[in-house]
Amino acid sequence: MGRRSLPKIDSQVDLAQHLMSLEQVPKPFSATEFFGRGAPLEIEVGSGKGLFLLSASEQFPDRNFLGNEVSAKYSRYIAYRLAKHDRTNARVIHGDGLALFAGYLGDQSADAVHVYFPDPWWKARHRKRRVMQPSFVQDIHRVLKPSGVLHFWTDVEEYFQATCDLINATVPLSGPHAVPEPVALSDMDFRTHFERRMRRNDQPVFRSQFVKSPPRPSKTQSVPP
């Protein structure tokens, strides 16, 4: 299912505070400097049209939301939507999400990672192109803080099961934990545009959460009297 054309962007809207290319991101990445404040950080890989960033940044103003999108025109559209709604706690980085995680994000720097409806690469010979690969799963685990959450959703049951098996075999994240399907009360009350399309066409959505275990307390040895 291909991507639909995007609405036109008002060229008078300044995108500078909401859009950055991966090459412009400083190393090491500091969310506090990037957003100008310290707050819990949530990262979305493959932000599409930006519905999650737009909705979540409004619902949780006390958190920072970092989106990533490989398409230049979609990145600009996301930034435009965030700028129009004055979302100072959400920004988007245009570039390769795998490179962002591998080369820029520090250990235990994010409270949540969101991966919604990634390209399933249907043909068996193309599945090595899927974003959910062992190296990326390892980077997600490294970047998550203790008790941090990975959200993974897809409309492809085979991809869902394969990814759950991959995560369980690769990193110590507990899950998959079930995620209920809430009733949508408005046109914007979906996690992503793709979820909205699937549910309106009575297509299933497979949802999961994985949680990074907190560190175990160290055992203290008793000192004999």
Side-chain angles (χ1 to χ4, degrees), residues 4-212:
R4 300 178 181 180
S5 59
L6 295 172
K8 291 185 178 180
I9 293 176
D10 183 353
S11 60
Q12 300 301 312
V13 176
D14 184 9
L15 308 182
Q17 298 302 313
H18 293 88
L19 176 63
M20 182 178 289
S21 69
L22 184 61
E23 293 74 19
Q24 294 174 313
V25 176
K27 291 185 180 181
F29 175 82
S30 168
T32 301
E33 294 180 4
F34 196 71
F35 288 93
R37 67 169 190 170
L41 174 66
E42 303 200 17
I43 305 170
E44 182 187 26
V45 180
S47 295
K49 295 179 182 178
L51 180 58
F52 169 72
L53 294 176
L54 190 65
S55 300
S57 59
E58 178 182 34
Q59 186 177 1
F60 302 103
D62 58 334
R63 304 180 193 178
N64 291 331
F65 292 90
L66 178 64
N68 163 253
E69 174 56 45
V70 70
S71 166
K73 67 178 182 179
Y74 276 74
S75 296
R76 286 182 56 81
Y77 180 68
I78 294 168
Y80 171 70
R81 298 182 77 182
L82 296 176
K84 285 245 334 178
H85 290 85
D86 194 27
R87 298 295 160 74
T88 58
N89 63 327
R91 302 182 70 177
V92 62
I93 294 175
H94 165 232
D96 182 357
L98 302 187
L100 172 65
F101 270 74
Y104 293 80
L105 300 178
D107 296 356
Q108 301 185 18
S109 57
D111 295 85
V113 173
H114 303 261
V115 184
Y116 298 124
F117 305 98
D119 193 328
W121 292 102
W122 293 98
K123 295 181 180 179
R125 68 176 184 272
H126 291 158
R127 288 180 183 172
K128 62 184 178 181
R129 301 180 186 178
R130 288 177 169 178
V131 68
M132 300 306 287
Q133 298 289 339
S135 59
F136 181 50
V137 169
Q138 290 167 352
D139 274 328
I140 291 174
H141 179 264
R142 176 184 59 80
V143 168
L144 280 175
K145 295 178 181 178
S147 300
V149 181
L150 165 62
H151 304 261
F152 174 72
W153 296 14
T154 177
D155 61 315
V156 181
E157 187 173 11
E158 177 275 327
Y159 193 8
F160 178 81
Q161 189 58 55
T163 298
C164 290
D165 292 344
L166 169 66
I167 292 170
N168 286 326
T170 306
V171 293
L173 294 175
S174 68
H177 302 292
V179 180
E181 182 173 283
V183 176
L185 301 178
S186 72
D187 190 53
M188 299 292 287
D189 200 12
F190 296 89
R191 192 65 62 97
T192 72
H193 288 86
F194 201 92
E195 184 205 4
R196 183 168 66 196
R197 192 191 313 176
M198 291 299 99
R199 290 177 61 181
R200 284 181 172 176
N201 287 282
D202 295 322
Q203 298 298 313
V205 174
F206 303 95
R207 300 169 169 81
S208 66
Q209 289 184 166
F210 291 82
V211 181
K212 184 173 181 178

